[in-house]
Amino acid sequence: MSDLFSKFDPLIAEREALLATGVRDPYAIVMDKVLSPTEAMISGKRTILLGTYNYMGMTFDPDVIAAGKAALDKFGSGTTGSRVLNGTYQGHRECEDALKEFYGTEHAIVFSTGYQANLGMISTLAGKGDYIILDADSHASIYDGCALGNAEVVRFRHNSVEDLDKRLGRLPPEAGKLVVLEGVYSMMGDIAPLREMVDVCKKHGTMILVDEAHGMGFFGEHGRGVFEEAGVADDVDFVVGTFSKSVGTVGGFCVSNHPKFEILRLVCRPYVFTASLPPSVVATAATSIRKLMHAQDKRAHLWKNSRRLHQGLRDMGYQLGTQTAQSAIIAIILADMERAVSLWQGLLEAGLYVNTARPPATPSGMFLLRCSLCAEHTDAQVDEILHIFEAAGRATGVIA
Ligand SMILES: Cc1ncc(COP(=O)(O)O)c(C=O)c1O
Protein backbone atom coordinates (compact mmCIF):
# COMPACT_ATOMS: atom_id res chain seq x y z
CA MET A 1 0.00 0.00 0.00
CA SER A 2 1.44 3.36 -0.89
CA ASP A 3 1.34 5.89 1.95
CA LEU A 4 -0.68 8.88 0.83
CA PHE A 5 1.39 11.07 3.15
CA SER A 6 4.62 10.47 1.25
CA LYS A 7 3.97 13.51 -0.94
CA PHE A 8 4.52 15.64 2.17
CA ASP A 9 7.97 14.19 2.90
CA PRO A 10 9.93 17.12 1.41
CA LEU A 11 7.97 19.59 3.53
CA ILE A 12 8.36 17.43 6.67
CA ALA A 13 12.12 17.22 6.06
CA GLU A 14 12.42 20.97 5.48
CA ARG A 15 10.56 21.72 8.70
CA GLU A 16 12.57 19.23 10.73
CA ALA A 17 15.82 20.71 9.43
CA LEU A 18 14.68 24.22 10.34
CA LEU A 19 13.50 23.28 13.84
CA ALA A 20 16.72 21.31 14.43
CA THR A 21 18.57 24.64 14.34
CA GLY A 22 16.80 25.47 17.61
CA VAL A 23 14.39 28.13 16.34
CA ARG A 24 10.78 28.22 17.50
CA ASP A 25 8.10 26.99 15.15
CA PRO A 26 6.51 30.10 13.62
CA TYR A 27 3.37 28.12 12.87
CA ALA A 28 2.81 26.87 16.43
CA ILE A 29 2.39 30.07 18.43
CA VAL A 30 -0.22 30.03 21.18
CA MET A 31 -1.72 33.20 22.63
CA ASP A 32 -2.09 32.32 26.31
CA LYS A 33 -4.09 35.45 27.01
CA VAL A 34 -5.16 38.35 24.80
CA LEU A 35 -4.97 41.62 26.69
CA SER A 36 -6.25 44.04 24.04
CA PRO A 37 -6.34 44.35 20.22
CA THR A 38 -2.61 45.12 20.34
CA GLU A 39 -1.18 42.99 23.16
CA ALA A 40 -1.16 39.33 24.21
CA MET A 41 0.72 37.02 26.56
CA ILE A 42 2.84 34.58 24.56
CA SER A 43 4.94 32.05 26.52
CA GLY A 44 4.53 34.16 29.64
CA LYS A 45 5.74 37.35 27.91
CA ARG A 46 3.75 40.50 27.27
CA THR A 47 3.95 40.86 23.48
CA ILE A 48 2.89 43.59 21.06
CA LEU A 49 0.75 42.16 18.26
CA LEU A 50 1.83 43.33 14.82
CA GLY A 51 0.60 40.34 12.88
CA THR A 52 -3.17 40.32 13.27
CA TYR A 53 -5.77 41.55 10.79
CA ASN A 54 -7.48 43.47 13.56
CA TYR A 55 -6.97 46.65 11.53
CA MET A 56 -9.65 48.71 13.25
CA GLY A 57 -9.14 47.17 16.69
CA MET A 58 -12.80 46.16 17.07
CA THR A 59 -12.27 42.88 18.96
CA PHE A 60 -12.47 44.50 22.40
CA ASP A 61 -14.94 47.24 21.59
CA PRO A 62 -17.35 47.32 24.58
CA ASP A 63 -20.48 47.68 22.40
CA VAL A 64 -19.40 44.79 20.20
CA ILE A 65 -18.77 42.54 23.20
CA ALA A 66 -22.06 43.52 24.84
CA ALA A 67 -23.98 42.70 21.64
CA GLY A 68 -22.33 39.28 21.46
CA LYS A 69 -23.12 38.48 25.10
CA ALA A 70 -26.75 39.56 24.75
CA ALA A 71 -27.22 37.39 21.64
CA LEU A 72 -25.60 34.43 23.36
CA ASP A 73 -28.07 34.76 26.25
CA LYS A 74 -31.09 35.30 24.04
CA PHE A 75 -30.47 32.94 21.13
CA GLY A 76 -28.01 30.34 22.43
CA SER A 77 -24.59 29.25 21.28
CA GLY A 78 -25.32 28.13 17.71
CA THR A 79 -27.99 27.77 15.06
CA THR A 80 -27.32 24.11 14.20
CA GLY A 81 -28.59 24.63 10.70
CA SER A 82 -28.20 26.05 7.22
CA ARG A 83 -29.23 29.59 6.37
CA VAL A 84 -31.92 28.21 4.04
CA LEU A 85 -33.52 26.01 6.68
CA ASN A 86 -33.50 26.72 10.43
CA GLY A 87 -30.27 28.77 10.48
CA THR A 88 -31.50 32.27 9.67
CA TYR A 89 -32.20 34.18 12.89
CA GLN A 90 -33.20 37.79 13.24
CA GLY A 91 -29.47 38.55 13.83
CA HIS A 92 -28.42 37.22 10.42
CA ARG A 93 -30.94 39.52 8.76
CA GLU A 94 -29.77 42.47 10.90
CA CYS A 95 -26.20 41.73 9.93
CA GLU A 96 -27.13 41.74 6.24
CA ASP A 97 -29.03 45.01 6.79
CA ALA A 98 -25.91 46.54 8.40
CA LEU A 99 -23.85 45.48 5.38
CA LYS A 100 -26.38 46.94 2.92
CA GLU A 101 -26.24 50.20 4.81
CA PHE A 102 -22.45 50.18 5.06
CA TYR A 103 -22.02 49.54 1.32
CA GLY A 104 -25.12 51.36 0.10
CA THR A 105 -26.24 48.29 -1.88
CA GLU A 106 -29.56 46.56 -2.47
CA HIS A 107 -28.35 43.11 -1.49
CA ALA A 108 -26.05 41.46 1.02
CA ILE A 109 -25.51 37.77 1.72
CA VAL A 110 -23.60 36.51 4.77
CA PHE A 111 -21.49 33.34 4.56
CA SER A 112 -19.81 31.47 7.42
CA THR A 113 -16.32 32.67 6.37
CA GLY A 114 -14.74 34.92 3.76
CA TYR A 115 -13.12 31.82 2.32
CA GLN A 116 -16.58 30.35 1.72
CA ALA A 117 -17.83 33.64 0.29
CA ASN A 118 -15.20 33.42 -2.45
CA LEU A 119 -15.75 29.70 -2.95
CA GLY A 120 -19.48 30.25 -3.27
CA MET A 121 -19.57 33.40 -5.35
CA ILE A 122 -16.92 32.38 -7.86
CA SER A 123 -17.99 28.76 -8.36
CA THR A 124 -21.68 29.70 -8.64
CA LEU A 125 -21.37 32.76 -10.88
CA ALA A 126 -19.04 31.29 -13.50
CA GLY A 127 -20.19 27.95 -14.90
CA LYS A 128 -19.35 25.68 -17.82
CA GLY A 129 -18.36 27.66 -20.89
CA ASP A 130 -17.73 30.83 -18.86
CA TYR A 131 -14.34 32.35 -18.04
CA ILE A 132 -12.83 33.50 -14.74
CA ILE A 133 -9.99 35.93 -15.19
CA LEU A 134 -7.88 36.42 -12.09
CA ASP A 135 -4.69 38.08 -10.90
CA ALA A 136 -1.84 35.55 -10.57
CA ASP A 137 -1.30 36.60 -6.93
CA SER A 138 -4.92 36.00 -5.92
CA HIS A 139 -5.77 34.65 -2.48
CA ALA A 140 -6.12 30.86 -2.06
CA SER A 141 -9.89 31.20 -1.56
CA ILE A 142 -10.19 32.73 -5.05
CA TYR A 143 -8.16 29.93 -6.61
CA ASP A 144 -10.20 27.38 -4.68
CA GLY A 145 -13.42 29.02 -5.87
CA CYS A 146 -12.18 28.46 -9.42
CA ALA A 147 -11.30 24.84 -8.63
CA LEU A 148 -14.78 24.20 -7.24
CA GLY A 149 -16.52 25.45 -10.38
CA ASN A 150 -16.49 24.44 -14.02
CA ALA A 151 -15.38 27.64 -15.75
CA GLU A 152 -12.18 28.11 -17.72
CA VAL A 153 -9.55 29.94 -15.66
CA VAL A 154 -7.25 32.59 -17.15
CA ARG A 155 -4.56 34.28 -15.06
CA PHE A 156 -2.96 37.64 -15.73
CA ARG A 157 0.31 39.08 -14.38
CA HIS A 158 -0.06 40.60 -10.92
CA ASN A 159 -1.57 44.08 -11.11
CA SER A 160 -0.82 44.36 -14.85
CA VAL A 161 -3.56 46.33 -16.62
CA GLU A 162 -1.88 45.62 -19.95
CA ASP A 163 -1.80 41.85 -19.42
CA LEU A 164 -5.43 41.85 -18.28
CA ASP A 165 -6.40 43.72 -21.46
CA LYS A 166 -4.38 41.34 -23.64
CA ARG A 167 -5.86 38.19 -22.11
CA LEU A 168 -9.43 39.48 -22.24
CA GLY A 169 -8.89 40.34 -25.89
CA ARG A 170 -8.16 36.67 -26.68
CA LEU A 171 -11.43 35.34 -25.22
CA PRO A 172 -14.60 34.72 -27.25
CA PRO A 173 -16.56 37.99 -27.14
CA GLU A 174 -19.91 36.29 -26.48
CA ALA A 175 -18.69 34.11 -23.54
CA GLY A 176 -19.62 34.93 -19.93
CA LYS A 177 -16.65 36.44 -18.08
CA LEU A 178 -15.98 37.21 -14.44
CA VAL A 179 -12.87 39.22 -13.59
CA VAL A 180 -11.81 38.72 -9.95
CA LEU A 181 -9.65 41.40 -8.34
CA GLU A 182 -8.53 42.26 -4.83
CA GLY A 183 -8.39 45.79 -3.44
CA VAL A 184 -5.33 45.06 -1.29
CA TYR A 185 -3.04 42.10 -1.99
CA SER A 186 -2.28 40.76 1.44
CA MET A 187 1.18 39.30 0.96
CA MET A 188 2.94 42.51 -0.12
CA GLY A 189 0.32 45.00 1.06
CA ASP A 190 0.08 46.60 -2.40
CA ILE A 191 -3.18 47.86 -3.86
CA ALA A 192 -4.69 47.18 -7.28
CA PRO A 193 -5.00 49.90 -9.95
CA LEU A 194 -8.76 49.38 -9.88
CA ARG A 195 -9.74 52.44 -11.96
CA GLU A 196 -7.64 51.29 -14.91
CA MET A 197 -8.60 47.64 -14.49
CA VAL A 198 -12.30 48.39 -14.35
CA ASP A 199 -12.00 50.48 -17.54
CA VAL A 200 -10.41 47.51 -19.31
CA CYS A 201 -13.13 45.17 -18.01
CA LYS A 202 -15.84 47.52 -19.26
CA LYS A 203 -14.21 47.63 -22.68
CA HIS A 204 -14.41 43.82 -22.88
CA GLY A 205 -17.89 43.54 -21.33
CA THR A 206 -17.00 41.45 -18.26
CA MET A 207 -18.60 41.25 -14.84
CA ILE A 208 -16.32 42.29 -11.97
CA LEU A 209 -15.91 40.93 -8.45
CA VAL A 210 -13.60 42.72 -6.02
CA ASP A 211 -12.43 41.08 -2.79
CA GLU A 212 -12.02 43.84 -0.19
CA ALA A 213 -10.91 41.59 2.69
CA HIS A 214 -7.96 43.85 3.51
CA GLY A 215 -9.45 47.18 2.46
CA MET A 216 -12.73 47.30 4.37
CA GLY A 217 -12.82 49.81 7.20
CA PHE A 218 -10.15 52.29 6.16
CA PHE A 219 -10.14 52.95 2.39
CA GLY A 220 -12.59 55.39 0.81
CA GLU A 221 -14.87 58.03 2.26
CA HIS A 222 -17.13 55.48 3.96
CA GLY A 223 -14.43 52.89 4.62
CA ARG A 224 -15.88 50.54 2.02
CA GLY A 225 -12.59 49.63 0.43
CA VAL A 226 -10.13 50.41 -2.33
CA PHE A 227 -12.90 50.25 -4.94
CA GLU A 228 -14.61 53.18 -3.20
CA GLU A 229 -11.40 55.18 -3.04
CA ALA A 230 -10.76 54.44 -6.74
CA GLY A 231 -14.24 55.79 -7.63
CA VAL A 232 -15.46 52.57 -9.27
CA ALA A 233 -18.30 51.64 -6.90
CA ASP A 234 -20.90 51.96 -9.68
CA ASP A 235 -18.92 49.75 -12.06
CA VAL A 236 -18.19 46.80 -9.79
CA ASP A 237 -20.82 44.03 -9.79
CA PHE A 238 -19.88 42.19 -6.59
CA VAL A 239 -17.86 43.05 -3.51
CA VAL A 240 -16.72 40.16 -1.32
CA GLY A 241 -15.46 40.70 2.19
CA THR A 242 -14.82 39.13 5.54
CA PHE A 243 -15.64 39.77 9.19
CA SER A 244 -12.28 38.27 10.21
CA LYS A 245 -10.26 41.43 9.67
CA SER A 246 -11.51 45.01 10.28
CA VAL A 247 -14.87 43.78 11.60
CA GLY A 248 -13.05 41.75 14.27
CA THR A 249 -14.94 38.45 14.36
CA VAL A 250 -15.51 35.70 11.80
CA GLY A 251 -17.74 35.39 8.74
CA GLY A 252 -17.84 36.42 5.10
CA PHE A 253 -20.17 38.26 2.76
CA CYS A 254 -20.95 39.52 -0.70
CA VAL A 255 -22.83 42.73 -1.52
CA SER A 256 -24.28 43.68 -4.89
CA ASN A 257 -26.98 45.61 -6.72
CA HIS A 258 -27.65 42.85 -9.24
CA PRO A 259 -31.46 42.47 -9.52
CA LYS A 260 -31.30 38.65 -9.51
CA PHE A 261 -28.83 38.43 -6.61
CA GLU A 262 -31.19 36.77 -4.11
CA ILE A 263 -31.39 33.54 -6.15
CA LEU A 264 -27.87 32.80 -4.90
CA ARG A 265 -29.40 31.78 -1.58
CA LEU A 266 -30.80 28.68 -3.31
CA VAL A 267 -28.02 27.77 -5.72
CA CYS A 268 -24.76 28.64 -3.97
CA ARG A 269 -23.51 25.43 -2.37
CA PRO A 270 -21.05 26.93 0.17
CA TYR A 271 -24.01 29.02 1.43
CA VAL A 272 -26.60 26.23 1.46
CA PHE A 273 -24.64 23.19 2.63
CA THR A 274 -23.10 24.47 5.84
CA ALA A 275 -24.32 25.73 9.20
CA SER A 276 -24.88 29.46 9.61
CA LEU A 277 -22.84 31.66 11.93
CA PRO A 278 -23.67 31.59 15.66
CA PRO A 279 -26.04 34.35 16.84
CA SER A 280 -23.31 35.94 18.99
CA VAL A 281 -21.03 36.25 15.96
CA VAL A 282 -23.59 37.95 13.71
CA ALA A 283 -24.52 40.28 16.58
CA THR A 284 -20.88 41.31 17.10
CA ALA A 285 -20.42 41.70 13.33
CA ALA A 286 -23.51 43.89 12.88
CA THR A 287 -22.52 46.13 15.81
CA SER A 288 -18.95 46.42 14.58
CA ILE A 289 -20.02 47.23 10.99
CA ARG A 290 -22.35 49.99 12.23
CA LYS A 291 -19.55 51.48 14.33
CA LEU A 292 -17.13 51.33 11.39
CA MET A 293 -19.44 53.72 9.54
CA HIS A 294 -18.33 56.44 11.97
CA ALA A 295 -14.70 55.50 12.51
CA GLN A 296 -12.96 58.39 10.75
CA ASP A 297 -10.60 59.05 13.68
CA LYS A 298 -9.53 55.44 13.94
CA ARG A 299 -9.01 55.31 10.18
CA ALA A 300 -6.78 58.37 10.28
CA HIS A 301 -4.72 56.95 13.16
CA LEU A 302 -4.29 53.62 11.36
CA TRP A 303 -2.92 55.41 8.29
CA LYS A 304 -0.57 57.45 10.48
CA ASN A 305 0.73 54.24 12.11
CA SER A 306 1.22 52.54 8.77
CA ARG A 307 3.14 55.46 7.26
CA ARG A 308 5.35 55.83 10.36
CA LEU A 309 6.25 52.14 10.43
CA HIS A 310 6.94 52.01 6.71
CA GLN A 311 9.18 55.07 6.81
CA GLY A 312 11.00 53.88 9.94
CA LEU A 313 11.72 50.40 8.56
CA ARG A 314 12.84 51.82 5.22
CA ASP A 315 15.20 54.23 6.94
CA MET A 316 16.75 51.31 8.84
CA GLY A 317 17.51 49.59 5.53
CA TYR A 318 14.86 46.89 5.43
CA GLN A 319 13.72 45.79 1.98
CA LEU A 320 9.96 46.34 1.87
CA GLY A 321 7.20 45.07 -0.42
CA THR A 322 6.10 48.56 -1.49
CA GLN A 323 7.82 51.92 -2.02
CA THR A 324 5.36 53.69 0.26
CA ALA A 325 2.73 52.54 2.74
CA GLN A 326 -0.14 51.52 0.46
CA SER A 327 -2.25 49.73 3.09
CA ALA A 328 -2.08 48.59 6.73
CA ILE A 329 0.19 45.68 5.72
CA ILE A 330 3.93 46.23 5.50
CA ALA A 331 5.92 43.30 4.16
CA ILE A 332 9.63 42.82 4.83
CA ILE A 333 11.35 40.75 2.16
CA LEU A 334 14.03 38.28 3.30
CA ALA A 335 16.39 36.25 1.16
CA ASP A 336 15.66 32.85 2.71
CA MET A 337 13.53 31.03 5.25
CA GLU A 338 16.39 30.72 7.79
CA ARG A 339 16.94 34.46 7.89
CA ALA A 340 13.21 35.15 8.04
CA VAL A 341 12.72 32.78 10.98
CA SER A 342 15.79 34.04 12.84
CA LEU A 343 14.59 37.67 12.60
CA TRP A 344 11.05 36.58 13.48
CA GLN A 345 12.36 34.82 16.60
CA GLY A 346 14.53 37.81 17.56
CA LEU A 347 11.45 40.04 17.39
CA LEU A 348 9.36 37.59 19.41
CA GLU A 349 11.97 37.29 22.13
CA ALA A 350 11.99 41.07 22.38
CA GLY A 351 8.18 41.12 22.75
CA LEU A 352 6.92 41.68 19.20
CA TYR A 353 4.81 39.27 17.17
CA VAL A 354 4.70 39.50 13.36
CA ASN A 355 3.57 36.97 10.73
CA THR A 356 5.85 34.91 8.54
CA ALA A 357 4.87 33.99 5.01
CA ARG A 358 6.48 31.62 2.56
CA PRO A 359 5.62 29.91 -0.71
CA PRO A 360 3.00 28.83 -1.73
CA ALA A 361 1.30 31.80 0.00
CA THR A 362 3.99 34.05 -1.52
CA PRO A 363 5.46 34.02 -5.04
CA SER A 364 8.20 31.39 -5.37
CA GLY A 365 11.47 32.05 -3.55
CA MET A 366 10.05 34.91 -1.51
CA PHE A 367 10.10 34.84 2.29
CA LEU A 368 8.31 37.58 4.16
CA LEU A 369 7.78 38.96 7.60
CA ARG A 370 4.43 40.64 7.43
CA CYS A 371 3.50 43.47 9.75
CA SER A 372 -0.10 44.57 9.99
CA LEU A 373 -1.01 47.66 11.91
CA CYS A 374 -4.00 48.34 14.08
CA ALA A 375 -5.84 51.61 14.68
CA GLU A 376 -5.37 50.91 18.41
CA HIS A 377 -1.55 50.84 18.28
CA THR A 378 -0.47 53.90 20.24
CA ASP A 379 2.32 56.23 19.15
CA ALA A 380 4.42 54.80 22.01
CA GLN A 381 3.83 51.24 20.76
CA VAL A 382 4.94 52.23 17.25
CA ASP A 383 8.11 53.74 18.80
CA GLU A 384 8.72 50.49 20.65
CA ILE A 385 8.04 48.41 17.52
CA LEU A 386 10.63 50.43 15.59
CA HIS A 387 13.13 50.10 18.41
CA ILE A 388 12.70 46.31 18.52
CA PHE A 389 13.08 46.06 14.73
CA GLU A 390 16.31 48.01 14.84
CA ALA A 391 17.84 45.89 17.60
CA ALA A 392 16.69 42.50 16.24
CA GLY A 393 17.59 43.43 12.66
CA ARG A 394 21.15 44.30 13.69
CA ALA A 395 21.53 41.27 15.97
CA THR A 396 20.53 38.90 13.15
CA GLY A 397 22.52 40.73 10.47
CA VAL A 398 19.44 41.51 8.37
CA ILE A 399 20.26 45.23 8.51
CA ALA A 400 23.70 46.74 8.78
C1 LIG B 1 -8.02 38.33 0.13
C2 LIG B 1 -8.70 37.41 1.08
N1 LIG B 1 -9.91 36.94 0.78
C3 LIG B 1 -10.57 36.12 1.60
C4 LIG B 1 -10.03 35.71 2.80
C5 LIG B 1 -10.77 34.73 3.66
O1 LIG B 1 -11.28 35.32 4.79
P1 LIG B 1 -11.78 34.50 6.04
O2 LIG B 1 -10.72 34.59 7.08
O3 LIG B 1 -13.03 35.19 6.46
O4 LIG B 1 -12.04 33.10 5.61
C6 LIG B 1 -8.78 36.19 3.17
C7 LIG B 1 -8.21 35.77 4.46
O5 LIG B 1 -7.06 35.75 4.73
C8 LIG B 1 -8.09 37.06 2.29
O6 LIG B 1 -6.88 37.51 2.59
Side-chain angles (χ1 to χ4, degrees):
M1 182 190 79
S2 91
D3 183 355
L4 296 171
F5 276 81
S6 17
K7 55 181 163 292
F8 305 122
D9 287 347
L11 181 61
I12 291 169
E14 187 196 295
R15 270 177 60 75
E16 281 173 354
L18 183 70
L19 298 179
T21 66
V23 295
R24 282 185 68 168
D25 184 350
Y27 301 112
I29 285 292
V30 177
M31 310 269 165
D32 301 327
K33 192 164 180 221
V34 180
L35 307 170
S36 74
T38 60
E39 282 191 337
M41 298 301 290
I42 300 177
S43 306
K45 188 171 177 63
R46 199 178 179 100
T47 304
I48 299 180
L49 300 174
L50 189 68
T52 77
Y53 294 130
N54 200 356
Y55 299 123
M56 298 296 278
M58 298 306 283
T59 50
F60 280 81
D61 181 279
D63 297 328
V64 168
I65 289 176
K69 282 182 177 163
L72 197 54
D73 286 342
K74 199 163 165 200
F75 292 98
S77 58
T79 67
T80 70
S82 160
R83 283 297 307 273
V84 291
L85 296 172
N86 59 306
T88 294
Y89 290 11
Q90 179 192 328
H92 297 81
R93 278 287 158 81
E94 281 169 12
C95 190
E96 287 170 347
D97 288 344
L99 281 167
K100 286 190 258 181
E101 216 175 296
F102 186 89
Y103 282 98
T105 54
E106 292 287 318
H107 306 283
I109 182 170
V110 166
F111 291 82
S112 297
T113 64
Y115 178 85
Q116 282 164 286
N118 271 332
L119 278 194
M121 290 306 300
I122 294 169
S123 64
T124 310
L125 284 170
K128 205 168 170 52
D130 298 329
Y131 289 85
I132 301 164
I133 304 92
L134 79 168
D135 187 293
D137 287 3
S138 290
H139 187 257
S141 57
I142 294 173
Y143 275 104
D144 292 357
C146 295
L148 189 66
N150 298 309
E152 296 286 330
V153 178
V154 176
R155 293 194 302 171
F156 62 91
R157 222 171 36 246
H158 176 55
N159 268 349
S160 170
V161 179
E162 196 190 350
D163 199 33
L164 172 64
D165 190 21
K166 195 168 81 187
R167 287 178 194 270
L168 285 174
R170 290 182 190 151
L171 302 181
E174 70 289 354
K177 302 179 200 85
L178 177 69
V179 173
V180 181
L181 305 167
E182 292 176 43
V184 176
Y185 285 87
S186 64
M187 286 301 124
M188 297 300 235
D190 54 335
I191 62 169
L194 287 184
R195 177 73 267 169
E196 293 82 351
M197 291 195 150
V198 164
D199 288 345
V200 165
C201 293
K202 292 282 145 197
K203 184 174 99 182
H204 293 281
T206 78
M207 288 188 126
I208 305 168
L209 180 152
V210 180
D211 179 334
E212 286 286 356
H214 297 272
M216 181 184 187
F218 53 96
F219 277 93
E221 191 189 340
H222 302 91
R224 290 172 183 160
V226 179
F227 77 102
E228 184 188 25
E229 188 148 310
V232 296
D234 291 340
D235 304 309
V236 163
D237 300 279
F238 310 99
V239 175
V240 163
T242 174
F243 299 157
S244 73
K245 309 197 193 297
S246 286
V247 177
T249 176
V250 67
F253 64 88
C254 180
V255 293
S256 174
N257 284 321
H258 197 289
K260 298 179 188 166
F261 191 78
E262 293 298 323
I263 196 64
L264 288 174
R265 294 187 198 272
L266 298 183
V267 295
C268 181
R269 296 168 69 89
Y271 177 82
V272 175
F273 293 102
T274 195
S276 62
L277 286 169
S280 55
V281 169
V282 281
T284 55
T287 307
S288 177
I289 291 162
R290 291 194 183 282
K291 290 195 86 165
L292 288 177
M293 291 184 206
H294 313 285
Q296 287 80 359
D297 292 351
K298 274 188 173 233
R299 236 173 259 165
H301 188 68
L302 177 59
W303 278 107
K304 179 180 154 199
N305 283 347
S306 181
R307 292 190 180 111
R308 270 195 73 204
L309 183 66
H310 189 284
Q311 182 74 45
L313 292 176
R314 223 176 79 156
D315 291 348
M316 284 174 210
Y318 281 105
Q319 190 192 346
L320 304 180
T322 54
Q323 283 298 314
T324 54
Q326 291 190 15
S327 69
I329 299 169
I330 293 169
I332 301 174
I333 303 173
L334 282 311
D336 51 60
M337 188 65 182
E338 288 68 28
R339 203 173 284 222
V341 176
S342 117
L343 176 59
W344 171 82
Q345 176 152 312
L347 297 170
L348 190 64
E349 282 165 2
L352 180 64
Y353 174 80
V354 301
N355 278 330
T356 58
R358 49 157 294 154
T362 57
S364 83
M366 187 171 278
F367 296 89
L368 303 175
L369 290 193
R370 284 164 62 248
C371 311
S372 35
L373 287 137
C374 174
E376 294 290 317
H377 281 128
T378 62
D379 291 348
Q381 280 178 317
V382 177
D383 287 340
E384 195 179 340
I385 290 167
L386 285 168
H387 174 75
I388 294 173
F389 260 111
E390 184 152 32
R394 290 227 170 99
T396 52
V398 172
I399 54 170

